[in-house]
Amino acid sequence: MGNLTRDGKFYVAGHRGLVGGALCRALARKGYSRFLTRGHAELDLCNQQAVSAFFDRERPDYVLLAAARVGGIHANAAYPAEFIFQNLQIQNNVIHSAWQYGVKKLLFLGSSCIYPRDCAQPIKEEYLLTGPLESTNEPYALAKIAGIRMCQAYRRQYGFDAVSVMPTNLYGPGDNYDPLNSHVLPALIRRFCEARKAGAESVTIWGTGRVRREFLHVDDMAEACMFLLENYSDSSHINIGCGQDMTIMELARQVAITCGYDGKIETDSSKPDGTPRKLLDVSRLFGMGWRPRIALEDGLRETYEDYMARS
């Protein structure tokens, strides 16, 4: 089982989120039955004393750090202080306590927004810190970069087995469909479903629709994380993606079809596009033998059904 033991105790930080929920499902599929979860009301990860007491009491063997303050362009622009403060606090507290209380291995989940805005494509891991960040999500990106460097520092100084992974844009069941604070794909699902229900003649999407993005189903991401937990131990962070991207307009058209909306799709160029393109180079991960399995069409259908069940 690689670096993991069957009877090990896992702590999934952020289990109620999109990523954390998928990690819990992946653990169950793999047959790991001993895992800890705590909601925010039970454990405030920004509280250093509370986090330390939790690790001292529970003594997990493995930690999957998926807890984070996340959101789309609007949320990042509206709450930059919360995005940098809360993410730094969560990372500092969990990573330090994991090392302090003898965790065998920690997986830190970052984001593809850590890379420079105008990166060469596809984006290799070594492009980190080679240029300016995208201004619309810079506070969040800086926090995630600090998390990578913290994992590397604790590995170098203490021999702590901390691994960092950088997923591309994720989607899937359990996503956040809030009209203002969600990411692009779940926001589009909500918008097209509401437009269909209202009989709207057109739907307007943010930006020009020409920027390109890569999308990976969250269950594929979780499977990649399990693969890396079992097979990888090094200081360099690893990209997780599918290796293909599309324009936001192409995505919008697929979402509209999935949602059964047949009206017009218009753009609003007064709204920000964000980074022009963000396609990860996943040759390192693919070279280890991992591949995604969920096609976008199938994943969109599943996510649409999840939204309908929750709306």
Side-chain angles (χ1 to χ4, degrees), residues 269-292:
S269 58
S270 69
K271 296 293 195 297
D273 269 330
T275 303
R277 192 181 186 193
K278 197 162 56 172
L279 175 65
L280 295 182
D281 185 315
V282 289
S283 57
R284 290 186 66 190
L285 178 59
F286 283 14
M288 297 178 202
W290 182 85
R291 289 288 191 284

Side-chain angles (χ1 to χ4, degrees), residues 2 9 23 34 38 44 60 101 105-106 110 112 152 158 162 167 171 177 193 223 242 253 264 276 292 307-308 310:
K9 184 190 293 187
L23 290 171
R34 299 183 67 208
R38 294 289 187 276
D44 179 2
Y101 292 102
K105 191 164 190 174
L106 177 141
S112 58
Q152 292 171 340
Y158 302 127
Y171 73 98
Y177 302 97
C193 286
E223 291 295 331
C242 64
R253 289 172 181 146
K264 296 179 181 179
Y307 170 75
M308 293 300 294
R310 296 166 60 187

Side-chain angles (χ1 to χ4, degrees), residues 74-302:
H74 172 81
N76 275 268
Y79 310 108
E82 284 92 337
F83 270 81
I84 193 166
F85 175 79
Q86 292 178 14
N87 283 301
L88 285 172
Q89 289 288 95
I90 291 168
Q91 296 162 193
N92 289 344
N93 294 339
V94 174
I95 294 170
H96 181 76
S97 287
W99 161 74
Q100 187 176 27
Y101 292 102
V103 166
K104 296 176 181 177
K105 191 164 190 174
L106 177 141
L107 183 82
F108 170 68
L109 286 108
S111 165
S112 58
C113 72
I114 62 167
Y115 293 110
R117 181 183 190 276
D118 298 312
C119 238
Q121 304 289 319
I123 304 171
K124 298 179 182 293
E125 286 88 352
E126 55 264 35
Y127 294 168
L128 180 64
L129 296 176
T130 58
L133 298 166
E134 162 61 35
S135 61
T136 56
N137 57 23
E138 184 179 59
Y140 177 75
L142 286 170
K144 290 300 181 180
I145 292 170
I148 296 171
R149 290 298 193 239
M150 187 173 183
C151 287
Q152 292 171 340
Y154 275 58
R155 176 181 288 273
R156 184 168 65 249
Q157 184 170 343
Y158 302 127
F160 182 44
D161 192 2
V163 172
S164 300
V165 299
M166 298 301 119
T168 190
N169 298 284
L170 303 172
Y171 73 98
D175 213 333
N176 171 23
Y177 302 97
D178 184 88
L180 291 178
N181 296 326
S182 60
H183 288 104
V184 59
L185 194 151
L188 288 174
I189 288 177
R190 176 170 182 154
R191 197 170 302 172
F192 283 118
C193 286
E194 290 180 345
R196 182 198 65 208
K197 185 176 180 180
E201 293 184 359
S202 66
V203 168
T204 301
I205 63 174
W206 273 37
T208 64
R210 294 193 294 269
V211 297
R212 302 185 69 87
R213 292 291 182 270
E214 176 184 16
F215 296 95
L216 182 71
H217 193 284
V218 70
D219 283 336
D220 273 337
M221 181 281 313
E223 291 295 331
C225 287
M226 295 306 303
F227 176 84
L228 290 168
L229 272 173
E230 295 174 344
N231 296 285
Y232 181 74
S233 177
D234 204 346
S235 61
S236 175
H237 63 280
I238 297 286
N239 290 339
I240 299 178
C242 64
Q244 297 179 327
D245 64 359
M246 60 173 49
T247 68
I248 294 299
M249 179 58 76
E250 289 170 338
L251 173 68
R253 289 172 181 146
Q254 287 206 35
V255 172
I257 292 170
T258 302
C259 296
Y261 177 76
D262 58 4
K264 296 179 181 179
I265 304 175
E266 300 177 344
T267 59
D268 181 1
S269 58
S270 69
K271 296 293 195 297
D273 269 330
T275 303
R277 192 181 186 193
K278 197 162 56 172
L279 175 65
L280 295 182
D281 185 315
V282 289
S283 57
R284 290 186 66 190
L285 178 59
F286 283 14
M288 297 178 202
W290 182 85
R291 289 288 191 284
R293 61 179 179 81
I294 302 172
L296 182 63
E297 182 180 355
D298 297 329
L300 283 178
R301 188 182 312 110
E302 182 185 12

